Every structure is written in C-alpha cells, then in structure tokens.
Amino acid sequence: MKHMMTLLGIPVLAAIFFCGGCTKSEHVITADDFPKLVTSEVTGIMRNSASCGGRISHQGISLVRARGLCYDTVQNPSLTGKHVVAGDGGGQFYVHLSDLPQNTTYYVRAFATNDAGTSYGDEKSFRTLWDSGYATVSTNLSTYSFSWMEIGGNVSDDGGSPVTEYGICWGTSPLPATGGIKVICGSGTGQFSTVIHGLMMNIPYYARAYAINARGTSCGQQKLIRTINYPFLNVPGSFQGWDPADSSTIIAAVKLDGLYEGYFWFPANTEFKYAAGSGTTTWGDNNHDGTLEPGGANIIAAAEGYYKLNVDYQGLTHSFLKTEWGVTGTATVNGTGSDTDLSYDFSARNWSVATNLLAGELKFRANHSWDLYYGDDDADGFLEAGGSSIRVKEPGLYTITLDFNKPVYRYFLVRN
C-alpha cells in the first residue's frame, strides 16, 4: 500500500501545515481517516470486456459515499480519468468493464471516497483477448419486486461458431456461473428475457446472462438485485375467484407512503374487496361513497374495462377509474392534437400498438385526457405519473407496449 500512503501524504501534510491556528476541538486529518481497500483480481477477461472490483475493510472518518473502479491504458489510473462508480458503503463490490478494444493492456485500481478524500487500492493489470472465439453477451435487468425479477440479455456476436445455449445464471453469491442455478432461455443470437419467481424478500441476488458456443461459456456483466418489500394489499373479487392469496392481483405502495394503486381488467359487474395478509382482515364500502369499512360490503364496478384502483390506507378511502390508453406527442403520426390508441391484450395483460413514429417525443395518457398520464423522468424504461416526455431518436415502425402488471410500471418501444 505504499502508493496509497504517498497519495495520502499530500492532504495529511496540508492538514498539519494549516493547523497552526487550530483549536483543541478541531480534527487533524490523518491516514486512518481515509478509506482502506484492496483491488480484486480481474476476472472474465474477454475481447471487449472484463470484471473487477474491490473490498473496503475500513471506511474511515465517515461512510464511503462513492466507490468503484478506475481504469486506463496507462499506470496509476485515477478519478481524473476513466472510472465507474459502483455505489457507496463498505464491503465487496464489482464492476463490469465493457466496450474495450481487443488485445489491449489495461491498468485498474479500486477507489473509495469519504469526507477526508479518496483512497486507491493496489493496481492490477490485464490484457483483453484477441479473436477469442467466445460469444459476446450482455446482461439487461428489466425490473424486480418483492418475490421476482425480470432479467435478460443480448447475444450480439456468436464469436464465429453457433451459440448452442444462452440464458441467465443467478444466486446469492457474486459472479454466478452456469455450474450453479441457471435458466436456459434459448440458442442463437439476439435479445432474450425471463422472469425468475420465488425470491425471498429483501435479499441480495446476483445474476448475469451467459452464452455457450464451441469455444466455451462467456458471461455478461453482473447485476445486483435486492428484492423489494413493497407494502401491498390483495384484491380478492369475482374477477379472480375471491382468492385473497393471489399474488397476481395486488396493489402496492411503491413510495411507502400508505397510498396503494394498481390496474386490473374487470368484467361487467365485478365485485371486489381489499384484504391484508391471508384475507382475515378485509375492507369494503357499505355506502358506495369511497369510504372503506372493515368487513364492509362488496365494491362494484358495473362496466367492463381496465380499472385503476387507488387506496389511501391511512384515511381508509378508495377510488377506481375505468381507463383506455393511447400515446400522444410530436413523435406520433397524429402529433399532439390527438392520441394514437393502444389495444388491450388479454393474454399478456398489457396495452400495445404497432405504429409509425417520427423523431420526437411522446407520453402515455388515459381517456384522451391529461388528467392521468405517464412519462419517463430518467429515460430508463420505467414510468412516472406526470413524468417527462419519452424521446424517440429514430423514425420507423415501432411496437409500443404499456405494462401495468408490476408495482413499478414500465413501457417498451421496439423498432420493427
């Protein structure tokens, strides 16, 4: 760790030099105030990618607010150059480096930053492969919740021989491999995804895509998923057999604020209630006035359609709204003057349309009105009520899908 002490020497000396006027209550920065860490061995070296990370054994004077990996083609890479942030806090962390040129030597160092400054781990080096013959595969995490995750990948290059199997390997330990738990999703090249059910709540899981060809197995970048324990209410009713334990018919409080919501298709004259846990506690609406009473009368949705359900658990009030969905904006052929309507798919339980789009922007809205609409604030494929416009960069024929099946709503724009 000599290089770290050299790096730390400048701020330590500066602190001592300027301490002539210090009072007894002031703290003099020392080497122990900085994080202490080591750089992990480089693994998964491919033509254009590799994995590495670090382990923080001591966070120092304050919690580590940023950690990650610095990398470059010259020695002693630092935060002034190429780097990837991998969260905060102590312990072990991993980073997947991609889009690297073939047959190139790289130097890597883990870093950690706290209130005292930045420390670096020991330096490692590796050389990307040249015409390895391995398939190129990346990992794509769609979404996850309290008991499942949807995850997939993309086999963009077969490496010169047919990909006989691709899928997802996952588990509770870092860098899962095909020798452990895996889900086979198919063969060949292209994008794929799967939903993994039965996960424990609030547990960290690791997953990555893999592809197998004649040369061997290659893996995409690792994704860390900590399942979420969203508060939820069951919605037993005539539309689902009055089953209070059906996890597919729940509404959730994603913001943990006691406000629950969700979407369902109801046949005409559907009756339902809200239930907690096993269903021993239920709420209905005796007077059909939007007030919930324990053990109250069934709530009735008279017209067939797709409903948005809302419950204020603190105030014991509820509402439900029949909706139809469309897209509008400068990216649609109708412009901002009217909607391009989506159609409901009963088997997939989502809304979709195949339509031409222009370069521009769009949003999803209900009932041809701005009373209820969604956008995407972070351009990450997840929807926010009242969110920002969704950018369409390339014109063409697209399949647009709107999915309210999970607590975190999402959409897909796939260019055909």
Side-chain angles (χ1 to χ4, degrees):
M1 300 290 287
K2 289 182 178 180
H3 62 284
M4 187 178 80
M5 294 304 296
T6 301
L7 280 169
L8 300 182
I10 295 174
V12 170
L13 289 174
I16 294 172
F17 180 80
F18 288 110
C19 201
C22 292
T23 66
K24 291 183 179 180
S25 62
E26 292 179 317
H27 178 76
V28 178
I29 299 297
T30 69
D32 287 336
D33 293 325
F34 287 79
K36 292 181 172 60
L37 72 161
V38 296
T39 306
S40 303
E41 295 298 325
V42 183
T43 62
I45 303 171
M46 304 295 292
R47 287 177 295 175
N48 307 111
S49 61
S51 296
C52 189
R55 181 176 60 82
I56 300 172
S57 59
H58 172 67
Q59 297 196 56
I61 193 174
S62 66
L63 295 179
V64 168
R65 62 173 182 262
R67 64 187 189 182
L69 194 72
C70 300
Y71 67 103
D72 210 329
T73 54
V74 295
Q75 292 184 315
N76 298 320
S78 68
L79 287 176
T80 59
K82 297 177 181 178
H83 63 278
V84 180
V85 178
D88 53 21
Q92 198 92 9
F93 61 91
Y94 297 90
V95 169
H96 183 78
L97 303 176
S98 58
D99 299 324
L100 305 178
Q102 297 183 33
N103 197 33
T104 303
T105 298
Y106 274 90
Y107 301 90
V108 295
R109 289 195 298 175
F111 75 86
T113 301
N114 67 5
D115 290 346
T118 299
S119 298
Y120 296 92
D122 44 321
E123 184 176 87
K124 307 286 186 182
S125 65
F126 68 95
R127 191 174 188 84
T128 52
L129 301 182
W130 176 257
D131 289 333
S132 67
Y134 287 95
T136 301
V137 59
S138 59
T139 309
N140 303 315
L141 176 64
S142 293
T143 187
Y144 54 95
S145 187
F146 48 89
S147 63
W148 54 265
M149 62 177 163
E150 182 168 351
I151 191 166
N154 181 29
V155 182
S156 57
D157 182 356
D158 64 9
S161 61
V163 172
T164 57
E165 177 182 311
Y166 61 62
I168 299 294
C169 43
W170 63 281
T172 55
S173 298
L175 301 177
T178 54
I181 306 173
K182 69 176 182 178
V183 178
I184 301 173
C185 297
S187 60
T189 59
Q191 297 186 8
F192 61 92
S193 66
T194 186
V195 178
I196 299 173
H197 293 281
L199 306 181
M200 300 294 290
M201 288 188 289
N202 202 32
I203 296 293
Y205 289 91
Y206 301 87
R208 54 182 180 167
Y210 73 89
I212 302 174
N213 66 2
R215 182 68 174 85
T217 301
S218 55
C219 292
Q221 62 270 45
Q222 174 178 268
K223 299 292 185 179
L224 171 61
I225 303 101
R226 181 177 288 276
T227 50
I228 301 172
N229 187 9
Y230 289 134
F232 65 92
L233 295 173
N234 295 87
V235 187
S238 58
F239 72 107
Q240 50 88 275
W242 289 103
D243 181 3
D246 186 349
S247 61
S248 68
T249 53
I250 64 169
I251 59 174
V254 175
K255 295 182 179 180
L256 309 180
D257 55 3
L259 302 177
Y260 295 76
E261 69 173 59
Y263 286 86
F264 306 106
W265 184 276
F266 286 161
N269 297 313
T270 289
E271 300 186 16
F272 65 97
K273 289 186 176 183
Y274 297 103
S278 62
T280 55
T281 302
T282 63
W283 292 269
D285 188 343
N286 288 332
N287 300 311
H288 306 291
D289 60 357
T291 301
L292 293 173
E293 293 87 15
N298 294 344
I299 304 165
I300 301 174
E304 180 184 32
Y306 193 71
Y307 283 84
K308 180 176 187 284
L309 277 57
N310 288 85
V311 169
D312 180 343
Y313 190 71
Q314 302 300 323
L316 284 182
T317 60
H318 77 101
S319 63
F320 54 98
L321 173 69
K322 184 175 179 290
T323 65
E324 295 180 348
W325 288 90
V327 290
T328 187
T330 59
T332 66
V333 292
N334 295 325
T336 57
S338 61
D339 292 2
T340 299
D341 293 334
L342 280 65
S343 298
Y344 186 70
D345 185 330
F346 286 89
S347 60
R349 296 170 55 208
N350 58 30
W351 295 81
S352 65
V353 67
T355 184
N356 286 305
L357 292 178
L358 311 173
E361 298 178 337
L362 59 82
K363 292 182 179 181
F364 295 91
R365 68 176 186 170
N367 303 331
H368 303 277
S369 168
W370 290 110
D371 291 341
L372 174 60
Y373 72 92
Y374 292 94
D376 185 352
D377 289 335
D378 304 307
D380 57 1
F382 297 104
L383 293 167
E384 290 85 25
S388 302
S389 296
I390 298 163
R391 182 70 178 170
V392 178
K393 296 181 179 179
E394 298 290 337
L397 178 63
Y398 283 80
T399 297
I400 305 173
T401 304
L402 177 62
D403 189 347
F404 292 120
N405 285 317
K406 305 296 190 297
V408 180
Y409 307 143
R410 56 189 178 157
Y411 69 95
F412 303 93
L413 300 181
V414 179
R415 192 164 183 262
N416 299 331

